[in-house]
Amino acid sequence: MAAHDYSGDSELEDPSYQEPAFEAFMCPLTKQVMHDPVTIETGHTFEREAILKWFRECRDSGRTPTCPLTQAELRAADISPSIALRNAIDEWRARNQDKELDKAKLQLQSQSQSQPQDDDDAAQLPLRALGYISHMCHASAANKNLVRRQGIIPAVAAMLKSSSRRVRLKALDLLRVLVEGNDDNKEELGQGGDTIRTIIKFLSNDHVQERELAVSLLHELSKLDPICQRIGAVYGAILLLVGMGSSKSDNPAAVEKAESTLRNLERYETNVKQMAENGRLQPLLTKLIHGTPQVHLAMAEYLGELALANDVKVMVAEQAGPLLVSIMKSTGSSLPAREATLKALREISSNESSARILLQAGILPPLVKDLLSVGAGHLPMRLKEVSAAILANLVASGSLDAETAGETLLSEDVLHSLLHLISNIGPAIECKLLSVLVGLTGSPATVADVVFAIRSSGATISLVQFVGAAHREIRLETLKLLRNVSPYMGAELADALGGHLGSLLRAVYDDRSGGVTEEQAAAAGLLGDLPERDWDLTRQLQELGAFRALASKLVELRRGTIRGNRHVAPFTEGAVKVLYRVTCALGEGGGEYVEVARELGLAPLFVDLLQQQMSSGLDAVLLYSAMALENLSLQSGRLTAVPEPAPAPRGLLLMCACLGGGTPAPAPGALGTCRVHGGFCSLRESFCLAEGGCKAVERLVACLEHADARVVEAALAALSTLVGDGVANAAEGVLVVGEAEGLRPVVEVLVENRTEALQRRAVWAVERILRVEDIAEEVAADQTVASALVEAYRNGDARTRQTAERALRHLDRIPNFSSAFHHAKASRGA
């Protein structure tokens, strides 16, 4: 039998690799090797489809079917399968296919070793080999097994590392074809961990087609359970899939493949944990809610280990909160289940919205019960610490009002138990329970209950002792708590702190951080909130060097020698309040505190603070600085050094004596004396606001335009010390304020009439200003001032009305009846 060279089925086109086809294998009609040979009546053999088509054409043309080779008419158009011939052809084709596959394998292996550059010529051989294998697999699914048995899958996988993108793309597509619907091929490809890792790397590739083919291949591989584990074990694989699954820019089909791959990976708990870590939490929640008790435990443990974003915490609380709370309530829950649940709740509860959801789910009663329970069946101490952390989170969220807490947390018995527990337990729980009390005392709705419990349980002294605790967190939470309750029990705290001031001040003095710590800020804040007129406490602070240390710290902060941070503002506020205490004691201690104020330069310091804090928003610093300057300025009259009067001519002295006058006083400003106080003044030594270039006056005037009425009132009170009865020349004090452009702002304060206290203060100041005739004549033309004074005259208290009446007389709005009466009486006597 003659043989023919045949290469039509091969893309490799190398006849030397093929066994020639026998003539009997060829269909006379198609001239191709037959796939389904059949024999007709004449004994000739044809391709089934070809001879059936011949018969149809004969019938369609009205002829009797004939033999294509002999043209003899056939009695019947019957066909018979030629099984032997078909088997021979299949064997021939299989032999050639094996040879072609061997050649393809050799070419791929040689290319993987040489790694050709990305050019068309070098890529042709691997592309032809990959194309041939792909053609085979598309022709018959059975050929996929043949490719595996020939050991070609590793050679194809090696092409994923080719430097030619065309080769990589073809290899990715061929691997997908090979594993599609073939678990054995999936297992073969997935055995090499390096191959899975290489495929996953394509997900981060900039080339869109490589990403899409890679995710399609991974999707097919993920249908086999063992491969799911291997994909999840590759570092970053799930994160890349999560990113692709949520992408808005990738092909929707590729996005869906990524999503489907992730759904396949969800079958393994370790993959679910990784998804949760990378923001895909729903699979974990689904298993937590619908899984078996063992799955519940595993998922709750995972949940407790995660660091969740706030919006995710809310989602978890909404979906899993009721289940977790029910596990807490159940008396049949195992200790591991309760531990996992508590740790998960600790993470979820640290957000305001999620905490509110948990409170609505009823978390508070079982939580407090677990925390306070003792005896058999109670939680071990390490879990009580977790419970305390959850409770601290719930309180800190601000969602726990008096109604929600009710008898569960705010009853006297519960609060007493908490206070007792704080004093008799380890540092970790102490800190969390102190945080709970800090949160409760930070709310106006619940602070009164805690203050009552502290008093009724006698816990003040035991709480104060924690100021000197070894653990910084305990000291810090204690300081916050004591500061919160100080407005309600300041005198008691001052007494209790007497023996612990050293510990408190050590926190203030600590300079190891190079800046201001939260503990320093809290300690300074607590000291500043204690009653400023407790002279015993003031004396102790002076003896311990508190005033000197705080003044020095403020100066360093102003100069920038101490590193600034978020704690500087509260520290500054507390320190200023403590130093304000010195100005309240200027009349005490036989002048001791006057010397303290001079030595520490408190007056210049407070003036500087006015300028520094005007733009910082620290209203309390402005308020206390202005109040301190008022107290200091009130001492200027007695502290100024009035010079001895120069000897006057004898005749002048006799004249003064005859007219009832005394020794003539020096003119304002004479001999370098102060215009206002008539003596030698300075801001540092005599606390004179008019000295030092009037910077103090200018900065106080600036405060008159502040939004906080309390700051305005304090600044106005300080300025009023220059025009009051305690100065030698009030008119000069008015001029000093005027030179600082302060008269109009004072008048504006009166006109605005913001508060009753501020109105009273402004009416007094305006009346003093109007005693200067030139100013009174100028102000008289301003109708708004007269109207404001009339309003104060009509609606103010008795003292304000009297002052307003005097001011209106200065403006000639009210007649001076007493003067008129005396003038009329004198006329009648004449």
Side-chain angles (χ1 to χ4, degrees):
M1 184 182 289
H4 293 266
D5 287 338
Y6 176 69
S7 59
D9 283 347
S10 173
E11 290 186 54
L12 300 183
E13 299 180 354
D14 188 350
S16 65
Y17 271 82
Q18 298 181 4
E19 180 181 321
F22 292 96
E23 186 175 357
F25 294 173
M26 310 296 292
C27 173
L29 291 175
T30 64
K31 310 302 181 187
Q32 299 289 331
V33 176
M34 292 180 285
H35 289 275
D36 189 6
V38 293
T39 303
I40 62 174
E41 183 181 308
T42 60
H44 293 97
T45 303
F46 303 91
E47 181 70 57
R48 179 188 293 271
E49 288 299 324
I51 193 61
L52 290 176
K53 179 182 178 184
W54 174 268
F55 289 161
R56 285 194 300 272
E57 290 175 351
C58 289
R59 285 192 292 268
D60 291 345
S61 61
R63 296 182 291 114
T64 301
T66 62
C67 173
L69 293 178
T70 64
Q71 299 302 316
E73 291 186 358
L74 303 176
R75 294 190 299 273
D78 296 335
I79 58 175
S80 301
S82 180
I83 296 175
L85 180 59
R86 184 174 62 188
N87 289 340
I89 293 172
D90 286 346
E91 290 174 1
W92 170 83
R93 185 173 278 114
R95 288 193 298 274
N96 275 342
Q97 206 169 59
D98 287 345
K99 292 179 180 179
E100 295 287 2
L101 283 176
D102 284 339
K103 180 182 178 183
K105 178 181 177 182
L106 289 172
Q107 289 182 342
L108 292 177
Q109 287 175 340
S110 64
Q111 292 297 319
S112 67
Q113 293 170 1
S114 61
Q115 285 296 307
Q117 296 302 311
D118 191 8
D119 60 76
D120 290 341
D121 292 337
Q124 287 307 310
L125 284 178
L127 285 174
R128 280 200 298 269
L130 293 169
Y132 172 72
I133 299 169
S134 179
H135 172 75
M136 279 185 57
C137 295
H138 280 102
S140 172
N143 288 334
K144 298 180 183 180
N145 294 324
L146 179 61
V147 171
R148 182 185 70 257
R149 287 194 296 269
Q150 293 279 57
I152 296 176
I153 290 179
V156 176
M159 292 298 99
L160 296 177
K161 296 183 179 180
S162 171
S163 59
S164 168
R165 175 170 288 133
R166 294 171 62 203
V167 172
R168 295 197 302 270
L169 291 172
K170 191 67 177 177
L172 283 168
D173 186 57
L174 175 55
L175 289 172
R176 179 191 59 79
V177 172
L178 285 168
V179 302
E180 194 170 25
N182 193 309
D183 287 351
D184 290 333
N185 284 1
K186 290 184 178 74
E187 184 63 37
E188 173 78 13
L189 182 61
Q191 282 180 354
D194 185 59
T195 301
I196 298 294
R197 189 175 296 106
T198 301
I199 297 168
I200 289 168
K201 285 181 180 178
F202 283 107
L203 298 181
S204 60
N205 203 311
D206 291 336
H207 193 265
V208 175
Q209 195 175 1
E210 284 186 330
R211 285 204 311 272
E212 293 176 354
L213 287 173
V215 76
S216 294
L217 176 55
L218 282 174
H219 176 246
E220 288 299 325
L221 290 171
S222 68
K223 294 177 182 178
L224 189 66
D225 283 358
I227 306 294
C228 286
Q229 288 182 297
R230 294 170 198 165
I231 293 174
V234 176
Y235 180 76
I238 288 179
L239 174 59
L240 289 170
L241 286 167
V242 168
M244 197 169 186
S246 59
S247 172
K248 298 291 189 295
S249 58
D250 280 304
N251 186 317
V255 171
E256 175 52 35
K257 291 287 186 185
E259 276 291 314
S260 184
T261 304
L262 287 167
R263 287 193 292 272
N264 292 337
L265 298 181
E266 289 172 11
R267 294 194 290 268
Y268 287 89
E269 292 179 3
T270 52
N271 292 342
V272 169
K273 181 183 178 182
Q274 283 194 65
M275 291 179 196
E277 290 172 348
N278 292 295
R280 187 183 176 91
L281 205 68
Q282 192 57 53
L284 186 149
L285 295 179
T286 301
K287 287 184 177 293
L288 175 64
I289 296 168
H290 301 294
T292 64
Q294 291 77 12
V295 174
H296 281 168
L297 177 59
M299 295 300 107
E301 287 176 344
Y302 290 160
L303 194 57
E305 296 171 4
L306 296 174
L308 303 175
N310 284 333
D311 57 335
V312 178
K313 291 175 185 175
V314 174
M315 180 187 73
V316 174
E318 290 174 340
Q319 295 189 35
L323 171 66
L324 295 173
V325 171
S326 69
I327 294 174
M328 285 185 62
K329 291 179 178 179
S330 174
T331 56
S333 299
S334 66
L335 186 60
R338 297 179 76 183
E339 179 172 1
T341 299
L342 286 170
K343 289 180 177 178
L345 287 169
R346 176 176 59 187
E347 175 63 25
I348 302 168
S349 62
S350 58
N351 168 263
E352 180 179 346
S353 299
S354 57
R356 188 180 303 112
I357 294 169
L358 293 175
L359 286 168
Q360 292 170 352
I363 189 176
L364 198 56
L367 186 64
V368 174
K369 179 182 176 183
D370 283 346
L371 190 58
L372 300 181
S373 62
V374 293
H378 72 278
L379 287 180
M381 202 58 65
R382 58 186 172 81
L383 295 188
K384 284 183 180 289
E385 179 183 345
V386 180
S387 297
I390 297 170
L391 185 57
N393 288 341
L394 295 174
V395 174
S397 72
S399 303
L400 191 64
D401 54 26
E403 182 179 356
T404 306
E407 289 297 312
T408 305
L409 188 58
L410 293 179
S411 71
E412 187 175 357
D413 289 342
V414 171
L415 289 173
H416 281 183
S417 298
L418 286 176
L419 290 166
H420 176 76
L421 196 59
I422 289 172
S423 301
N424 297 277
I425 209 163
I429 303 183
E430 283 175 355
C431 187
K432 296 302 180 185
L433 293 181
L434 285 168
S435 297
V436 170
L437 295 179
V438 169
L440 291 175
T441 54
S443 168
T446 55
V447 61
D449 294 293
V450 180
V451 169
F452 179 80
I454 291 173
R455 281 180 170 146
S456 61
S457 65
T460 306
I461 294 177
S462 60
L463 288 175
V464 165
Q465 289 175 349
F466 287 124
V467 168
H471 292 79
R472 187 191 70 84
E473 293 79 7
I474 293 177
R475 297 196 303 271
L476 180 58
E477 294 303 316
T478 301
L479 291 171
K480 292 178 181 177
L481 172 60
L482 296 179
R483 188 174 184 189
N484 285 351
V485 301
S486 62
Y488 305 90
M489 46 191 306
E492 297 160 76
L493 284 182
D495 291 340
L497 280 167
H500 299 276
L501 280 178
S503 299
L504 194 57
L505 291 172
R506 276 194 294 275
V508 176
Y509 301 158
D510 187 4
D511 290 325
R512 287 174 295 178
S513 69
V516 177
T517 65
E518 187 178 8
E519 184 180 357
Q520 285 178 309
L526 174 58
L527 287 172
D529 287 343
L530 296 176
E532 62 266 10
R533 298 189 183 277
D534 184 330
W535 309 130
D536 288 337
L537 180 60
T538 303
R539 178 183 50 78
Q540 291 181 68
L541 291 172
Q542 165 60 10
E543 291 173 352
L544 292 170
F547 303 131
R548 180 183 302 279
L550 288 171
S552 174
K553 199 97 171 180
L554 287 177
V555 171
E556 290 178 354
L557 283 171
R558 184 169 55 84
R559 292 174 178 171
T561 55
I562 294 180
R563 186 173 66 251
N565 56 33
R566 62 190 175 91
H567 304 304
V568 167
F571 176 84
T572 301
E573 179 180 326
V576 168
K577 288 182 178 180
V578 175
L579 293 176
Y580 167 71
R581 172 187 293 276
V582 176
T583 71
C584 294
L586 293 174
E588 303 293 324
E592 174 187 1
Y593 295 106
V594 170
E595 292 304 318
V596 171
R598 284 172 168 169
E599 181 182 352
L600 300 182
L602 291 189
L605 176 60
F606 285 122
V607 171
D608 287 342
L609 286 168
L610 285 180
Q611 180 186 28
Q612 186 180 0
Q613 304 302 329
M614 274 300 291
S615 59
S616 67
L618 293 181
D619 294 354
V621 174
L622 294 175
L623 173 64
Y624 280 87
S625 295
M627 291 166 56
L629 288 173
E630 178 194 7
N631 290 342
L632 291 165
S633 181
L634 287 172
Q635 304 298 318
S636 296
R638 69 182 184 87
L639 296 177
T640 187
V642 178
E644 292 293 332
R650 180 172 179 79
L652 179 59
L653 291 174
L654 290 173
M655 184 186 305
C656 290
C658 293
L659 294 175
T663 303
L671 305 174
T673 57
C674 174
R675 299 162 55 187
V676 179
H677 299 107
F680 296 108
C681 286
S682 71
L683 181 60
R684 185 183 184 97
E685 296 297 325
S686 64
F687 318 138
C688 176
L689 302 182
E691 293 299 311
C694 292
K695 289 182 180 179
V697 177
E698 292 172 358
R699 292 168 188 176
L700 288 167
V701 167
C703 290
L704 296 179
E705 299 178 359
H706 199 276
D708 190 333
R710 298 173 307 158
V711 173
V712 176
E713 182 181 354
L716 186 56
L719 290 171
S720 297
T721 60
L722 296 175
V723 298
D725 294 334
V727 300
N729 195 326
E732 286 295 326
V734 172
L735 295 179
V736 167
V737 175
E739 290 165 5
E741 299 183 359
L743 297 182
R744 172 51 58 182
V746 171
V747 171
E748 290 296 331
V749 171
L750 171 65
V751 172
E752 289 175 4
N753 191 17
R754 292 160 66 177
T755 67
E756 183 177 346
L758 197 51
Q759 181 195 49
R760 184 184 308 113
R761 181 77 68 178
V763 168
W764 185 93
V766 168
E767 191 275 330
R768 290 287 172 155
I769 291 171
L770 294 178
R771 291 184 182 188
V772 180
E773 292 186 6
D774 293 342
I775 296 176
E777 292 176 1
E778 182 179 345
V779 172
D782 189 343
Q783 183 59 39
T784 59
V785 178
S787 298
L789 288 170
V790 169
E791 179 68 19
Y793 179 68
R794 291 177 57 245
N795 300 313
D797 58 26
R799 180 176 296 180
T800 302
R801 293 183 64 189
Q802 290 177 0
T803 309
E805 179 181 349
R806 290 196 300 271
L808 288 168
R809 283 200 178 98
H810 296 320
L811 296 175
D812 290 332
R813 296 302 178 101
I814 295 179
N816 194 337
F817 292 112
S818 59
S819 298
F821 174 77
H822 288 302
H823 179 71
K825 184 176 180 181
S827 299
R828 286 195 299 272

